[in-house]
Amino acid sequence: MAEPHQANTAMQHLNNLRVWGKNIRVTLSKHNQVQLPKEGQPDAGLTKDFTASPLHRFKKPGSKNFLNIYPPSDTLHLSNIPASTTEEELIDLFTSTGGAVQAFKFFAKDRKMALLKMSSTEEAVHALIKMHNYQLSGSNHLKVSFSKGQIS
């Protein structure tokens, strides 16, 4: 993490979160920094640099994404939805992650965004893992995050 408060937020939101049937444990490392292995050096799969990953939502300093970090919940915020994508297509996609969609609602002023409610927080976590950065069309990759808002 770039800043200590980001690590604290991650710990608050993710410690004891149930993922794939098990609670995960998130604590501070005893190490002040992580030394990534040099190019070509073995690392036993213990480190991964997400700096250039398309899954990294916080690449740009000062990004508004920093303001939209919410704890895991059963409601997901979807964005970057192509205009041609229907509610039924999105519900089918999220149902394919193994959960049940309880409610769906496009934003009234912007159909590029929607809220989707899964049956449980654990199902929403699985759906976010599987669907964030999912390619909906040629250039549109779905952005998925936990929502501060709720729908019924």
Side-chain angles (χ1 to χ4, degrees), residues 25-43:
R25 186 168 169 242
V26 181
T27 61
L28 290 174
S29 173
K30 63 182 178 181
H31 305 285
N32 289 331
Q33 62 184 9
V34 174
Q35 181 66 44
L36 293 170
K38 293 181 179 165
E39 190 72 33
Q41 295 293 316
D43 71 347

Side-chain angles (χ1 to χ4, degrees), residues 40-136:
Q41 295 293 316
D43 71 347
L46 298 176
T47 57
K48 180 158 174 112
D49 183 2
F50 285 94
T51 305
S53 170
L55 300 176
H56 185 344
R57 291 180 268 190
F58 308 103
K59 287 186 247 190
K60 300 174 189 163
S63 168
K64 65 181 179 179
N65 289 340
F66 286 108
L67 303 175
N68 296 315
I69 300 172
Y70 300 105
S73 71
D74 60 3
T75 304
L76 299 172
H77 179 272
L78 315 180
S79 61
N80 204 33
I81 303 168
S84 61
T85 304
T86 67
E87 176 178 336
E88 292 75 25
E89 289 172 318
L90 289 167
I91 289 173
D92 287 347
L93 271 174
F94 278 82
T95 301
S96 76
T97 66
V101 175
Q102 299 295 306
F104 180 91
K105 179 177 154 185
F106 277 112
F107 280 45
K109 294 181 180 179
D110 188 355
R111 282 190 46 98
K112 292 181 181 179
M113 294 190 288
L115 294 178
L116 181 135
K117 181 176 181 173
M118 300 299 288
S119 291
S120 67
T121 298
E122 187 172 1
E123 285 183 9
V125 169
H126 295 165
L128 183 146
I129 291 168
K130 291 181 180 181
M131 299 308 299
H132 178 66
N133 208 44
Y134 181 85
Q135 189 170 359
L136 287 172

